[in-house]
């Protein structure tokens, strides 16, 4: 089983641990950490942790784009990013000793038509070689809202689409195997999952769990206990679960997504999962038909 | 007149303008800016602005080291940095709409003996081709406290040393043409300027101005009005003035340093000076013998 994850707007995620953030002060950051981020990169990280074969692709540019690829490679994840002239963005998280995080998010680079064409050629090759494709996150400036629809139509490999806003509606219309909005994203896209165009729609609702809407029916699963924490990491873990379990029937698949998502949510870094917690949750989560 | 500036621990200075820094919040940074920084780099920037010929050297490594050199080159400043395997540090300044700045400073890389030897070879070539050398700022980890003394002894070109702490005492002992501590740095080094070892010692004291201690006497000069702002930029502008005015008698040279320093202090970015303000201050600042 081989998964291709697509991150069109990845980021270099920088964490600055400080004793306490104080406005107007100078903070000496003794141990800054840097790692490759962005929703599709997080999906790739979860799959790699679980021992799955995964390739991370997307658009990367400038010295931070080079570093993103280097960091991924150092973490053992195959990275095949297409070059752009703009500089890959950074996110900086200042984390206090009590865990309070303050985030600074740079805007992404602008992508040209020529760069998009270059990516498409690489993508077609990689997607055709994969068993499943995961498209995750926001579109960088310069791309059409139909960018995800183009990627879905460009391959016969099943695609999981994890996006919100106009990219969700325009992408789902191209008929991916799965669309995975959260409750708010679904409401913004009209609220009716089966009219979106995807074969199945998984709707996440935080600690209340997830529902899947399919032609065969609707199922619901919820985590066995409330875990609060990092919702980005939780959504990316759910997408990873949906990719790796694609041969299972929907009740099992949904339960797996809920369990893996819950095992990721208490980790401060998106892309990390607690494998023991995952296995424990996997035994206790069940899906119920609605 | 050609100046060589040396920055052994440069930084990529990143500025994040935000409406207001709020602990725990996510800040979308619409217009981040990046430029090459570090005290010697700021000196080079001031000299370039004034039309002087200047070469910036030092140690740079990793993708941010590459970017530092690219940014300097894009700003029109000749950059001849020696490579190291560590990653050049960043500083991140979060600046609120009301001007309040919150700073995050990464630690610098560690420098190996082999990397230092490589830099020394480049330095000797560049220093011998220059009319004056300016050594500025802190020493990166891995270097001996006598690093500046080695650089002063390695060339017959006059050297201006702008450093504090042990690097000041150990460097000044090698007999540079000028040492430029601030009042606190001088006190920490024993308090007696003429025992340091430099031919002349310029001691800055913020809005109270500067004194120069030479074998021929002591002079004092103060800015015509109190300008508050960026003390790093002020000190680097003073070092730039001392480099470019090295053929002038001390009373004029000191007045020039005070005027250029005051013209830099009200700029939020170190290395920027207000040329109109400089020329106006230059006419009104005079040095008095003490």
């Amino acid at each position: 089983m081989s998964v291709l994850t697509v991150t069109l707007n990845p980021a270099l995620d920088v964490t600055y641990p400080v004793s306490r953030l104080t406005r107007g002060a100078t903070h000496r950051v003794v141990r800054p950490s840097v790692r490759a981020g962005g929703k599709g990169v997080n999906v790739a990280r979860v799959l790699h942790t679980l021992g799955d074969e995964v390739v991370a692709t997307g658009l990367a540019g400038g010295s931070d784009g080079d570093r993103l690829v280097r960091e991924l490679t150092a973490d053992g994840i195959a990275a095949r990013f297409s070059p752009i002239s703009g500089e890959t963005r950074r996110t900086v998280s200042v984390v206090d000793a009590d865990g309070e995080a303050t985030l600074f998010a740079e805007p992404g680079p602008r992508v040209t038509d020529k760069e998009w064409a270059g990516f498409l050629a690489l993508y077609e090759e990689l997607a055709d070689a994969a068993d499943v494709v995961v498209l995750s996150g926001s579109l960088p400036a310069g791309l059409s809202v139909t960018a995800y629809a183009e990627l879905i139509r460009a391959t016969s490999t099943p695609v999981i689409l994890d996006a919100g806003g106009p990219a969700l509606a325009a992408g789902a219309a191209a008929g991916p195997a799965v669309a995975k909005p959260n409750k708010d994203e679904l409401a913004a896209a009209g609220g009716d999952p089966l009219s979106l165009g995807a074969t199945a729609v998984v709707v996440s609702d935080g600690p209340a769990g997830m529902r899947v809407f399919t032609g065969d029916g609707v199922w619901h699963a919820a985590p066995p206990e409330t875990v609060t924490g990092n919702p980005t990491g939780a959504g990316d873990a759910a997408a990873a679960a949906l990719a790796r379990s694609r041969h299972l029937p929907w009740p099992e698949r949904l339960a797996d997504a809920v369990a893996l998502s819950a095992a990721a949510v208490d980790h401060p870094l998106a892309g990390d999962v607690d494998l023991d917690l995952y296995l424990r949750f996997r035994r206790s989560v069940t899906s119920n038909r609605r």
Side-chain angles (χ1 to χ4, degrees), chain A:
Chain A
M1 226 277 303
S2 152
V3 181
L4 177 69
T5 71
V6 176
T7 319
L8 297 178
N9 202 5
L12 207 57
D13 287 338
V14 179
T15 303
Y16 285 165
V18 299
S19 51
R20 190 184 161 88
L21 171 59
T22 307
R23 187 170 171 268
T26 292
H27 305 76
R28 306 232 158 252
V29 183
V30 180
R31 293 190 187 281
S33 69
V34 173
R35 73 175 196 176
K39 285 174 64 64
V41 166
N42 299 336
V43 173
R45 200 179 289 281
V46 171
L47 290 168
H48 178 72
T49 300
L50 294 173
D52 292 318
E53 195 187 319
V54 61
V55 174
T57 188
L59 300 161
S63 52
D64 280 352
D66 292 345
R67 187 150 181 200
L68 179 105
V69 169
R70 281 209 312 278
E71 297 285 344
L72 269 176
T73 306
D75 290 343
I77 296 163
R80 295 284 305 276
F81 279 74
S82 191
I84 56 173
S85 63
E87 184 79 30
T88 291
R89 68 197 169 106
R90 285 190 173 214
T91 68
V92 176
S93 295
V94 178
V95 181
D96 289 17
D98 66 3
E100 180 83 354
T102 306
L103 196 76
F104 303 92
E106 296 182 359
R110 174 166 286 272
V111 178
T112 67
D113 291 349
K114 197 179 163 193
E115 288 164 350
W116 176 244
F119 170 72
L120 263 181
L122 172 66
Y123 168 80
E124 286 176 23
E125 172 203 325
L126 296 173
D128 289 349
D131 295 306
V132 58
V133 173
V134 183
L135 308 177
S136 300
S138 61
L139 299 173
L143 290 193
S144 159
V145 72
T146 59
Y148 280 143
E150 280 185 72
L151 298 185
I152 291 162
R153 292 199 183 99
T155 184
S156 58
T157 303
V159 176
I160 296 168
L161 172 65
D162 184 4
L168 166 64
V178 181
K180 197 203 80 48
N182 62 36
K183 199 179 166 189
D184 293 342
E185 289 166 342
L186 176 66
D192 178 9
L194 286 175
S195 72
L196 282 177
T199 308
V201 177
V202 175
V203 183
S204 59
D205 187 16
M210 299 182 200
R211 272 167 208 268
V212 60
F213 299 82
T214 76
D216 297 328
V218 177
W219 285 268
H220 172 259
E225 54 196 79
T226 297
V227 188
T228 54
N230 183 341
T232 303
D236 297 337
L242 294 172
R244 70 196 307 264
S245 67
R246 68 186 190 90
H247 293 299
L248 297 178
W250 267 112
E252 284 184 53
R253 211 173 165 189
L254 189 69
D256 198 52
V258 167
L260 192 55
S261 177
V265 79
D266 71 338
H267 266 267
L269 293 177
D272 285 350
V273 288
D274 182 328
L275 291 182
D276 288 339
L277 206 58
Y278 169 46
L279 294 175
R280 184 156 67 80
F281 285 168
R282 188 65 195 81
R283 285 192 293 270
S284 56
V285 177
T286 52
S287 293
N288 299 300
R289 190 183 267 274
R290 290 299 159 110

